Structures are given as C-alpha cells and as structure tokens.
Amino acid sequence: MGRYDGKTVFVAGASSGINLAIAREFGLEGARVSIVSRSAEKIASAAADLRAEGVDVVGYDCDVRDHARLEEVFAEAHKRFGPIDVLVSGAAGNFLAPAFKMSANAFKTVVDIDLLGTFNVFHASFEHLRKPGAALIAITAGQAVHPMAFQVHACAAKAGVNMVVKCLALEWGPAGIRVNGISPGPIADTEGMIRLAADPEAEARLKNKLALRDYGTKDDVAKAALYLASEDAHYVTGTILNVDGGNDLGDASANCLP
Ligand code: NAP
Ligand code: COA
C-alpha cells in the first residue's frame, strides 16, 4: 500500500533532475502522475523510465511559458486521472552571466520560465484542482533571498516565485488549497549544479561552506515534497521549506568543532 494510492499528481519541468525524482517518488507511493516539459522526446523518455518502474504516468510536451498549452494539458490530465491532489511547479533555467553582458532577452527568458512559468502553472490549474484538499508546491532556490553574482536573472525570478507562493497561499487558502515552496540547496548530480559549480575545486569550496558539509540528494527534495503534500502538513501553508544542508544560514566554513 502506497501513501499516495488513488491520488493524482502533476509535476511541471519533470523530464530530468529534481522534479523527475519528485514525480518518481509520488509514483512509487501509488499516485497517478502527469509530467510535462518542453521537449516531447525528453518527457516521453522520462515517462517510459517511470513506467518501467511501475508508475502510472503520462507525459506531455508543454512549455510553461505557454498558458494556452497548459490549459489544454491540464484539461487532458484531468480527464484521464481526475482532479489534481498535488501540483509541483519546478521548471527553471539558469546560467552564469555577468549582468552587464547579459542581454535583456537572456534576463527575460529566465524570468519567463521560472516566475511567469510558475504563475502560469498554478493559474491554469485552478479549475482542475481538488477543492478542498489540493497541495501546491513551487520549487524555488536560495537565490530568492540571497543575492548572487552572475545570477541577477535567477535571483529576481526566484524571489518572485516565493511571493507567488505566499500570495496564492493567502488567496486560495479559503478554498482549501495549500501553497508552499521548497528551496533546495546544492543537489548532487543535477543540471543546476553542473551549471553553477562545474569543476571539483568549486564543488569542494561550496561543500566546505555548508553547515552539513555535503550536497543533498534528489531524494532529499522528493521526500520533503511528500511531506508538504501530505495530511501531516495540513496546517502548513505559505511557507518555504529549506532542504539545503544549512545553505540559508550562510558561510559555515569557519565553524570547526573540536
Ligand atoms: P533540470 O534537470 O534542468 O530540470 C529543469 C526541468 O525544467 C527540465 O525537466 C526541463 O526539461 C524543464 N524545463 C525547462 N524549461 C522549461 C519550460 N520553459 N517549460 C517546461 N519545462 C521546462 O534542473 P535541476 O537542477 O534538477 O533543477 C530543478 C529545479 O530545482 C529548478 O526549479 C531549480 O531552480 C531548482 N533548484 C535546483 C538546485 C540544484 O542544486 N540543482 C538547487 C536549488 C534549486 P526540458 O528541457 O525538456 O524542457
Ligand atoms: N550566457 C548568457 N546569455 C545566455 C546564455 C549564457 N550562458 N544562455 C542563453 N543566453 C541568452 C541567449 O543568448 C538569448 O539571448 P539573445 O536572444 O539576446 O541572444 C537568451 O538567453 C535566450 O536563449 P535561448 O537559448 O533562446 O533560450 P531557451 O528558451 O531556448 O533556453 C535557457 C532557456 C537559456 C535558460 C537554457 O539554458 C535552458 O533551456 N535551460 C534549462 C535547463 C537548466 O537551466 N537547468 C538548470 C535549472 S536551475
């Protein structure tokens, strides 16, 4: 018996990495899962991998910047699996670029995927959510609260994502919908960390700054999503849960206990 038997879960940006791990974890716990991403090929391959593990899953190609396509996909997913119990919005893009060299379109692209995309996913889902009872989760990042050089686009976008979480938690709470965020720290074996700390020296420096001195795993984030979506979290809304090894606490490299 799975903890999510009979539940329906929808994960946006789930062809790889953390979001795919979240979709997998819910699926292995018995949920019927819909996953979307831009690339038809990548999402079909991710869905096939999950199916091979026994997950009842359907994949749709859908760019979260395209509200009309999201409306179509939510309608199809609803028809197939019923109202959505758990909705995870995690599509994102990032790259390191100095602000003065970044084009306006580069800034806009990341804001459109991360921030507008999160709004679009939540907004287009509204009529397809189980009410009362749906749990919405945005995947945000430490960039939302800690300014970082060469990431003005991602910092601005994720700061906005945190506000979308809090505003919708306020507005949609009376309909019985909870809205929360998860802020992962550096997570091993992900595209995000390949882009932000590509070489072993950068990785070692970063790990040494973390209170827990190591990267997290995709499963660490997936397990937090399982908690936030569960009955155990029925009084939790509008919060951002850090799953970050202490990253939010600041540089812990000088802290060496005897
Ligand atoms: P990832 O594997 O690249 O995941 C990003 C996903 O978003 C991919 O499945 C990608 O698939 C999809 N995507 C990108 N643009 C899209 C669009 N316009 N419409 C729909 N789907 C889109 O990266 P990750 O490192 O696992 O990151 C996942 C999430 O965790 C992100 O929200 C990221 O900000 C957050 N996060 C990651 C870390 C980390 O350590 N990795 C730390 C903090 C926060 P397609 O290419 O097929 O579209
Ligand atoms: N440095 C500076 N500018 C960059 C860049 C980089 N590394 N990569 C892309 N850009 C610019 C492009 O030059 C373009 O601007 P321009 O029109 O002024 O030349 C703009 O960003 C859009 O690029 P494009 O490739 O058309 O966007 P896209 O929508 O196809 O892809 C990205 C989105 C750029 C975010 C791409 O990196 C991506 O698909 N990322 C998803 C995976 C990911 O980032 N995972 C980690 C999640 S944290």
Side-chain angles (χ1 to χ4, degrees):
M1 222 187 65
R3 282 183 285 167
Y4 281 85
D5 281 349
K7 301 285 185 187
T8 71
V9 174
F10 187 108
V11 187
S15 66
S16 57
I18 291 170
N19 306 319
L20 176 56
I22 292 173
R24 178 176 181 274
E25 196 75 28
F26 278 109
L28 294 179
E29 288 288 353
R32 299 177 295 245
V33 185
S34 304
I35 56 175
V36 306
S37 85
R38 286 169 304 184
S39 155
E41 200 179 316
K42 280 171 64 182
I43 205 68
S45 158
D49 289 349
L50 292 182
R51 221 168 276 125
E53 290 192 77
V55 175
D56 188 2
V57 60
V58 60
Y60 300 96
D61 61 295
C62 173
D63 192 317
V64 296
R65 293 168 285 192
D66 184 346
H67 195 282
R69 175 67 183 141
L70 277 166
E71 286 172 36
E72 270 174 26
V73 166
F74 277 119
E76 277 185 51
H78 190 163
K79 212 164 144 195
R80 186 171 178 129
F81 287 149
I84 296 168
D85 297 289
V86 182
L87 171 59
V88 180
S89 174
N94 198 7
F95 46 82
L96 293 174
F100 77 94
K101 283 191 178 166
M102 189 185 292
S103 71
N105 190 44
F107 183 89
K108 179 179 184 299
T109 298
V110 170
V111 171
D112 280 355
I113 299 172
D114 294 27
L115 175 54
L116 180 62
T118 298
F119 176 79
N120 283 346
V121 168
F122 287 172
H123 184 262
S125 75
F126 188 75
E127 67 179 279
H128 304 289
L129 298 175
R130 190 178 300 285
K131 298 188 238 359
L136 276 47
I137 300 171
I139 307 302
T140 179
Q143 283 89 333
V145 285
H146 299 290
M148 293 186 199
F150 314 129
Q151 293 190 65
V152 63
H153 47 352
C155 290
K158 292 292 195 183
V161 169
N162 284 17
M163 263 308 163
V164 169
V165 165
K166 288 166 197 281
C167 291
L168 295 190
L170 201 60
E171 274 195 43
W172 293 359
I177 298 168
R178 295 183 300 107
V179 189
N180 291 290
I182 296 176
S183 181
I187 301 300
D189 304 319
T190 59
E191 183 62 28
M193 291 320 295
I194 290 167
R195 287 171 182 239
L196 300 183
D199 58 274
E201 289 77 26
E203 185 176 322
R205 266 198 313 277
L206 186 47
K207 283 181 179 171
N208 194 45
K209 286 185 183 172
L210 292 167
L212 293 186
R213 295 287 195 272
D214 204 358
Y215 282 2
T217 66
K218 289 175 266 197
D219 274 357
D220 289 329
V221 184
K223 291 205 159 71
L226 248 58
Y227 160 69
L228 277 180
S230 75
E231 251 313 290
D232 290 345
H234 83 277
Y235 204 52
V236 180
T237 197
T239 197
I240 306 293
L241 177 60
N242 293 322
V243 182
D244 71 348
N247 194 37
D248 186 58
L249 304 172
D251 185 348
S253 56
N255 307 345
C256 294
L257 293 178

